[in-house]
Amino acid sequence: MRGLSHRLHRFDVKQMPYVLIAPFFILFAIFGLFPLIFNGVVALRTWRLDDPAQDGWAGLANFEKLLTDEDFWNALYNTFGIFVLSTVPQLLLALCVAFLLNRRLRGQTWFRVSMLLPYITPLTASTLVFLVVFGRDYGVANWVLSVFGMDDPIDWRAGKLQSWVAIATMVNWKWIGYNALLYLSAMQTIPRDIYEASALDGATSWKQLWRITVPMILPVVIFTVVLSTIGGLQLFTEPMLLDANPASASGGSNGEWQTIAQLIYKVGWKNLNLGYAAAMSWALFLIIVIVAVVNTLVTSRLGGGKR
Amino acid sequence: MSTTTDTRAAAPAQARPDQAPRRRLKPALLGRAPQDTPAGKWTYLLLGLTFLLSIYPIYWMFVIATSTDAALAEIPPKFLPGGEFMKNLTEVFSLQDVYFAESLVNSVIVSTVITVSVLFFCSVAGFAFAKLRFRGSRILMVMVVLTLTVPNQLGIVALYILMGYLPGEGGWNGSLLAVIVPGLVSAFGVFYMRQFILGAVPDELIESGRVDGATTMRIYWSIVLPAIRPALAVLGLLTFVGSWNDFQWPLITLGGTDYPTSMVALFDLASGNYVLYRRVLAGAFVATVPLIILLFVGGRQIVRGIMEGAVKS
């Protein structure tokens, strides 16, 4: 009896921690890590859903095809265009909103919670609303523009720039409040005596914002830049649903706003060419890593230079 | 923090907004940090405007969902909701090839199972990483943090192929398992729970439990679990919202089947040959309401979770 309970105790101390963390690592290995690695194998093969007989090693053929694929370069161009139009205003406006929230407010909690309305709204639902808002003939967006004197209604799906603006608006709407809360939480950890000292030197609140607040919250700004780079370059739902026929995944009649994530879906599950879609995923991964690193460097330069 | 009290002690009258002297001094010159400075009219005005812009699309969704087709062609745009909500809703629910009612049930199942599972597995793993000593715990924790940064969408093609090989007729693609099982754990959850347990559960409490002869699981149930309720609320809400709103993977694996989640059903609703936006937005509104209720009930916790996450990263 004693021996058994002793052994049980040993197990509880020595092995139990591993039992507790095992579910995470097992599930992650199967459904997270393995697909990531296996994706590399699929990219080197011909892998067709409609015709398994063609399956076999393809070497680098999928990647070679990528280099001359006009659809891919078009999608890359669109993805970057929408990314710039959505990320830059998003983070700047989030900074403004955080600046407003970082005051002694009546109904403080209420204001903060309300900033999350766009964040909790399902992306499919909000995109469908914006689809109507950006209608050519009776859309709210064109009506607002007409109030300001722009009487020529814009056909939001007819060209690259206007469709990018429409999609960027959806992204900005969803993420400004969320990022503002991230900035706000960093702003509130800045020690108060720094503000006191700078006030003695006669700094205005505008100067304090750029000389103290922004440099002090720089780590969180970099964090949001990385997050929005990862998210922005994988944009899928908005471009899918802006289409008059969403199931086509074509991003406009001439691919005006087709993003890479959307093209991967189209190649993989509409054209049934999984090997090629896997190669595209790898390309996208590489692009995300490069852009995230570059953006981090640029942001820390800009923010640090203001000091 | 001592500086806080110093500031307030130096200017006790200015700490209350209603008693602040009406001098023409810039707030910064008073030496107060922004978060101690009472908001002025412009701040409220601009925040009010931000609020209106945030809520308008959701309100507009409701307006169209309650109106007839004619409402979409009004200039200026219709402002007040109509009385057709039930009619539109009935149409959505009775559409032949959209399965909207089933999709809502599926979404509830998927989000609930994922939330409960994430709460359990992530809190036990977080407990192990925060309070138990074992070989390799540091390096394993670093691995958890690293997995946070990998965008999991990138393995989506291989994940689909993998699902096809799993046991069952035609594999797991097209069944709710394909959506649920990969979501059962989350790296963010493990990380968040570990951080919280480190601060919320004193080591002495765990030691005294050990001295009393409690097993590891016993300590988890009776000491750790009661102490981490706030963190469970935060993680639970964020997880539920995330899995309810997930779209790309469910579309790939459940698209075209009779068992969509509500996000996929919305996509189907907007994809037919004969799309009526009063119907589409009535469906969208129904799929949004649960989350708005959740924000109403747990908004404080969600805000706290997001803000705490930012500081820790």
Side-chain angles (χ1 to χ4, degrees):
Chain A
M1 263 325 265
R2 254 193 105 90
L4 180 65
S5 81
H6 180 71
R7 253 190 288 166
L8 278 178
H9 180 72
R10 265 189 72 84
F11 176 84
D12 193 53
V13 172
K14 293 267 174 195
Q15 264 79 45
M16 202 55 194
Y18 298 104
V19 176
L20 297 184
I21 63 169
F24 170 78
F25 283 98
I26 292 172
L27 282 168
F28 177 75
I30 299 173
F31 297 106
L33 193 60
F34 172 74
L36 219 54
I37 298 165
F38 186 47
N39 204 52
V41 177
V42 179
L44 298 174
R45 293 182 70 96
T46 304
W47 199 304
R48 297 203 55 105
L49 278 174
D50 51 345
D51 186 6
Q54 286 189 34
D55 286 2
W57 290 103
L60 293 174
N62 285 325
F63 290 98
E64 279 162 15
K65 187 174 169 193
L66 201 64
L67 293 177
T68 54
D69 187 344
E70 276 178 30
D71 285 352
F72 177 73
W73 292 106
N74 174 54
L76 190 63
Y77 180 54
N78 293 342
T79 305
F80 271 102
I82 298 168
F83 172 66
V84 171
L85 286 179
S86 57
T87 311
V88 178
Q90 180 194 138
L91 298 184
L92 287 177
L93 285 170
L95 198 62
C96 296
V97 174
F99 181 65
L100 293 174
L101 285 171
N102 192 25
R103 293 274 154 159
R104 183 183 297 232
L105 282 170
R106 283 164 199 242
Q108 189 193 55
T109 310
W110 191 85
F111 270 116
R112 288 180 187 177
V113 170
S114 74
M115 292 300 146
L116 289 180
L117 273 170
Y119 167 75
I120 56 115
T121 305
L123 195 48
T124 40
S126 59
T127 306
L128 290 169
V129 176
F130 278 107
L131 183 73
V132 179
V133 167
F134 284 109
R136 188 191 59 189
D137 296 327
Y138 302 103
V140 177
N142 278 342
W143 176 74
V144 171
L145 290 178
S146 76
V147 169
F148 286 102
M150 286 184 58
D151 283 330
D152 266 350
I154 295 175
D155 187 348
W156 296 96
R157 287 174 194 74
K160 279 192 187 295
L161 187 61
Q162 56 267 49
S163 61
W164 292 359
V165 169
I167 291 173
T169 307
M170 303 175 199
V171 179
N172 289 330
W173 178 78
K174 186 168 180 76
W175 293 106
I176 286 173
Y178 178 86
N179 284 310
L181 285 186
L182 295 185
Y183 293 159
L184 175 66
S185 76
M187 285 178 183
Q188 302 210 322
T189 59
I190 300 174
R192 287 175 162 84
D193 48 357
I194 297 185
Y195 288 106
E196 276 169 53
S198 83
L200 288 179
D201 296 342
T204 59
S205 49
W206 180 250
K207 269 191 177 166
Q208 286 187 341
L209 173 68
W210 288 106
R211 298 247 173 102
I212 303 176
T213 312
V214 172
M216 289 290 281
I217 66 168
L218 195 62
V220 174
V221 174
I222 292 175
F223 175 67
T224 58
V225 167
V226 173
L227 272 192
S228 49
T229 304
I230 294 173
L233 293 180
Q234 299 185 85
L235 218 55
F236 178 76
T237 310
E238 295 93 336
M240 281 294 277
L241 285 167
L242 186 65
D243 224 300
N245 176 18
S248 72
S250 55
S253 46
N254 294 309
E256 284 89 348
W257 66 86
Q258 188 177 52
T259 61
I260 298 188
Q262 204 183 355
L263 185 61
I264 291 174
Y265 174 76
K266 189 183 181 188
V267 167
W269 288 275
K270 296 286 154 189
N271 304 347
L272 306 175
N273 192 346
L274 288 186
Y276 190 36
M280 251 178 217
S281 303
W282 269 108
L284 179 59
F285 181 56
L286 203 67
I287 292 164
I288 289 176
V289 171
I290 292 170
V291 177
V293 169
V294 169
N295 282 350
T296 307
L297 291 178
V298 170
T299 314
S300 44
R301 263 292 160 75
L302 285 179
K306 288 264 185 338
R307 227 178 266 262
Chain B
M1 201 176 286
S2 65
T3 50
T4 317
T5 40
D6 289 345
T7 317
R8 297 228 171 108
Q14 290 155 10
R16 304 255 315 267
D18 46 344
Q19 291 171 6
R22 293 251 166 263
R23 261 180 290 160
R24 285 195 159 268
L25 273 178
K26 294 278 182 193
L29 294 179
L30 294 171
R32 271 187 298 201
Q35 59 264 45
D36 297 326
T37 310
K41 270 183 216 138
W42 282 103
T43 308
Y44 281 109
L45 197 72
L46 288 171
L47 281 175
L49 188 69
T50 312
F51 170 70
L52 287 181
L53 287 173
S54 300
I55 203 168
Y56 179 72
I58 302 169
Y59 178 71
W60 173 247
M61 168 161 62
F62 183 64
V63 170
I64 299 301
T66 53
S67 303
T68 58
D69 289 320
L72 276 169
E74 278 184 35
I75 292 216
K78 196 166 187 260
F79 187 71
L80 292 174
E84 306 287 311
F85 187 56
M86 288 324 285
K87 177 177 168 282
N88 293 338
L89 209 56
T90 320
E91 283 185 40
V92 172
F93 278 110
S94 55
L95 280 176
Q96 284 299 313
D97 38 345
V98 172
Y99 310 104
F100 198 73
E102 293 89 331
S103 81
L104 285 173
V105 175
N106 287 343
S107 278
V108 170
I109 295 172
V110 168
S111 304
T112 309
V113 173
I114 286 181
T115 303
V116 171
S117 160
V118 162
L119 287 183
F120 178 71
F121 287 126
C122 293
S123 63
V124 292
F127 164 52
F129 277 123
K131 296 291 170 185
L132 302 180
R133 258 181 275 164
F134 55 99
R135 251 170 200 257
S137 67
R138 285 189 75 155
I139 185 108
L140 288 170
M141 191 60 217
V142 170
M143 279 175 68
V144 172
V145 175
L146 281 181
T147 62
L148 267 174
T149 59
V150 180
N152 54 354
Q153 274 198 28
L154 297 170
I156 216 161
V157 172
L159 185 62
Y160 180 84
I161 294 175
L162 170 70
M163 290 293 175
Y165 285 121
L166 291 175
E169 198 185 336
W172 284 10
N173 282 315
S175 89
L176 289 187
L177 279 178
V179 180
I180 292 175
V181 180
L184 290 179
V185 293
S186 93
F188 171 76
V190 175
F191 176 71
Y192 181 74
M193 279 300 163
R194 173 184 174 264
Q195 299 301 94
F196 192 89
I197 292 170
L198 272 178
V201 187
D203 285 338
E204 298 83 56
L205 221 59
I206 297 197
E207 281 312 311
S208 71
R210 286 260 184 247
V211 172
D212 292 345
T215 60
T216 305
M217 277 322 271
R218 178 89 217 156
I219 290 172
Y220 169 76
W221 280 117
S222 39
I223 298 175
V224 176
L225 214 48
I228 61 170
R229 276 198 200 131
L232 290 175
V234 170
L235 182 61
L237 286 164
L238 291 178
T239 307
F240 193 92
V241 171
S243 53
W244 184 275
N245 292 349
D246 198 12
F247 174 63
Q248 187 177 12
W249 173 241
L251 174 70
I252 288 172
T253 188
L254 300 179
T257 68
D258 301 358
Y259 309 99
T261 59
S262 60
M263 298 300 116
V264 180
L266 280 182
F267 178 80
D268 293 339
L269 205 56
S271 301
N273 291 324
Y274 188 54
V275 177
L276 293 174
Y277 285 104
R278 59 181 170 81
R279 267 189 209 159
V280 174
L281 295 189
F285 187 72
V286 171
T288 306
V289 164
L291 298 188
I292 291 186
I293 293 173
L294 221 56
L295 186 69
F296 201 70
V297 176
R300 260 167 213 276
Q301 277 86 355
I302 299 181
V303 167
R304 224 186 56 200
I306 289 171
M307 289 181 64
E308 279 173 355
V311 174
K312 273 157 191 162
S313 61

